[in-house]
Amino acid sequence: MAGPIGICIHGGCGTLDKSLLTPAEWAETRAHLAASLRAAWAVLSKGGKALDAVEAAVVVMEDSPHFNAGHGAALTAASTHELDASIMDGATKGAGAVCTVKRIRNPIKAARAVMERSDCVLIAGDAADEFAKRQGLAIVENSYFTTQRRLDALASLKRRAESGTLRAASEAERHGTVGAVALDRAGNLAAATSTGGFNNKPVGRVGDTPIVGAGTYARNGVVAVSGTGQGEFFIRNAAAYDIAARMDYGKHEFKASVDALVFDVLKSHGIGAGFAAIDAKGQVYAPYNTLGMARGWIGDDGRLVVATHTEEFAEAA
Ligand code: ASP
């Protein structure tokens, strides 16, 4: 018998203060979240695979300038872009990832290609760009990823670094990420995450996003999660895997397991953190401990919800 389906996404927990964008810009951000959800829903509602759904959802957010992934990604201290992404299939525990890539238009597609068309889990840097090119994926100039908003954020962070006020920088100035998790009719879970990392990050820095078990994890029968927040702490806490372990071995409840990471384990380091999560029954959950987190979901009831701060906007899928 066909089971429930669901999709849950995030566009990073580094959401700007409401006053910093116009209502039209917020509306466009929400429209892009809705488009991401619909891309996934088109797959899931026809009986398609969770893996295809999460990839489709992430591609839409990578192509949007509103999120820190693909076009609109954060800049390194050298004013370049180095992107990270990973994808995981909860059915097989297959996973693929790329890190510090500079020319792949949609890094999530490269992560999927690593999973399905190589013997590796993670390919880095120029070699990953070359791999993607050989796989026929779209290749762009590094400047394709640049937007004015990220240039402004980089300039502001450099000023703060000089004046010693870096700790006061907002979450939004610093980071963001996109991610998607899904459950398909066959009961398969999948997770995908893509990011530009941190504004002003050192060249060569790799965060949690391409590290399976840190920023991304999926296990059938248990949970699929995609994280956002300062990746160093997600890596040190094996954060995404920890949620699955709490549920699988500890038999902890779904939402309590995600909350434990967001409001306790990660928060204890004084960092902003959030997750998009879905369990094996199709329950969706997207908690965060910052000012806001771009997010959305469609559960089995077919109701589409998007939000950037506390207010949630619902419509039919
Ligand atoms: N997790 C990302 C990283 O550390 C950044 C973020 O989600 O804000 O690269």
Side-chain angles (χ1 to χ4, degrees):
M1 204 186 78
I5 55 176
I7 171 80
C8 184
I9 61 171
H10 70 79
C13 69
T15 294
L16 291 165
D17 188 89
K18 256 190 191 163
S19 63
L20 295 177
L21 292 185
T22 63
E25 285 171 315
W26 284 121
E28 191 176 271
T29 304
R30 291 195 300 273
H32 290 185
L33 290 170
S36 165
L37 289 168
R38 287 200 169 96
W41 197 247
V43 175
L44 295 171
S45 58
K46 288 194 196 90
K49 288 163 65 173
L51 209 52
D52 292 326
V54 292
E55 180 184 339
V58 167
V59 163
V60 172
M61 290 188 283
E62 285 179 337
D63 289 345
S64 164
H66 292 293
F67 311 107
N68 176 7
H71 179 58
L75 290 144
T76 67
S79 301
T80 56
H81 299 275
E82 295 188 347
L83 313 178
D84 302 336
S86 69
I87 193 162
M88 184 160 186
D89 180 356
T92 61
K93 293 208 197 121
V98 292
C99 67
T100 62
V101 298
K102 298 186 192 71
R103 302 196 53 214
I104 306 168
R105 179 184 163 125
N106 292 108
I108 199 63
K109 291 190 183 182
R112 174 108 187 236
V114 170
M115 178 172 86
E116 292 178 341
R117 298 185 233 154
S118 85
D119 296 326
C120 310
V121 168
L122 172 60
I123 305 182
D126 294 343
D129 283 323
E130 285 307 316
F131 170 80
K133 198 170 165 186
R134 285 199 304 278
Q135 297 301 321
L137 298 181
I139 300 295
V140 292
E141 291 301 320
N142 195 248
S143 58
Y144 158 80
F145 301 112
T146 308
T147 58
Q148 191 57 46
R149 203 190 295 169
R150 296 295 174 208
L151 288 169
D152 294 346
L154 181 66
S156 156
L157 283 174
K158 283 190 184 288
R159 276 196 304 275
R160 283 184 185 282
E162 266 165 39
S163 63
T165 58
L166 202 53
R167 289 194 78 81
S170 71
E171 295 281 341
E173 267 180 294
R174 286 186 280 180
H175 62 97
T177 284
V178 308
V181 292
L183 173 71
D184 66 28
R185 290 246 182 264
N188 295 312
L189 289 162
T193 315
S194 180
T195 192
F198 272 77
N199 280 316
N200 208 22
K201 68 182 180 180
V203 167
R205 179 263 185 189
V206 178
D208 60 314
T209 297
I211 309 296
V212 170
T216 306
Y217 198 73
R219 187 187 296 175
N220 268 18
V222 184
V223 76
V225 295
S226 167
T228 167
Q230 193 179 336
E232 284 70 13
F233 296 97
F234 283 64
I235 297 172
R236 285 162 55 182
N237 286 288
Y241 176 79
D242 190 19
I243 294 173
R246 282 166 194 264
M247 292 176 65
D248 204 3
Y249 310 137
K251 306 292 170 215
H252 293 189
E253 198 262 329
F254 167 53
K255 290 184 180 173
S257 302
V258 187
D259 281 349
L261 268 290
V262 174
F263 300 107
D264 181 11
V265 176
L266 293 167
K267 197 166 180 203
S268 72
H269 295 283
I271 65 155
F275 279 96
I278 189 165
D279 74 357
K281 294 183 202 134
Q283 288 190 87
V284 290
Y285 192 43
Y288 56 95
N289 64 18
T290 54
L291 192 64
M293 178 170 87
R295 62 199 186 278
W297 53 84
I298 308 176
D300 206 41
D301 59 0
R303 191 166 151 269
L304 181 154
V305 177
V306 291
T308 53
H309 299 83
T310 44
E311 195 182 355
E312 294 178 355
F313 298 78
E315 51 192 278

